[in-house]
Amino acid sequence: MDKIFTLKNAGAFFVLYGLISMFGIFGFVEGLTVIGSMEIVEIILRAFLSGLLMYIGAIIYNGE
């Protein structure tokens, strides 16, 4: 049971969760009918946060 909850697996989970949230951004953009300035800000914020999550997961996975 302890081998499942290693730090390396937690990093892989963060990377996977960030990747899945990127696909969620694609679905969000596809569902929009009009893209205004607030929608662009929301898309950029979501992309930045999911990229940051994947970056942190990669750092944890590599053990740095």
Side-chain angles (χ1 to χ4, degrees), residues 16-37:
L16 184 65
Y17 189 77
L19 185 65
I20 290 170
S21 71
M22 282 286 192
F23 288 126
I25 293 170
F26 297 145
F28 172 73
V29 172
E30 187 178 343
L32 291 176
T33 56
V34 176
I35 297 180
S37 60

Side-chain angles (χ1 to χ4, degrees), residues 8-60:
K8 196 170 191 177
N9 289 342
F13 175 75
F14 282 136
V15 171
L16 184 65
Y17 189 77
L19 185 65
I20 290 170
S21 71
M22 282 286 192
F23 288 126
I25 293 170
F26 297 145
F28 172 73
V29 172
E30 187 178 343
L32 291 176
T33 56
V34 176
I35 297 180
S37 60
M38 290 305 295
E39 287 83 6
I40 291 174
V41 169
E42 186 175 354
I43 292 166
I44 291 172
L45 184 64
R46 284 185 182 190
F48 175 75
L49 290 177
S50 57
L52 183 68
L53 192 64
M54 288 191 297
Y55 176 70
I56 291 172
I59 289 175
I60 292 172

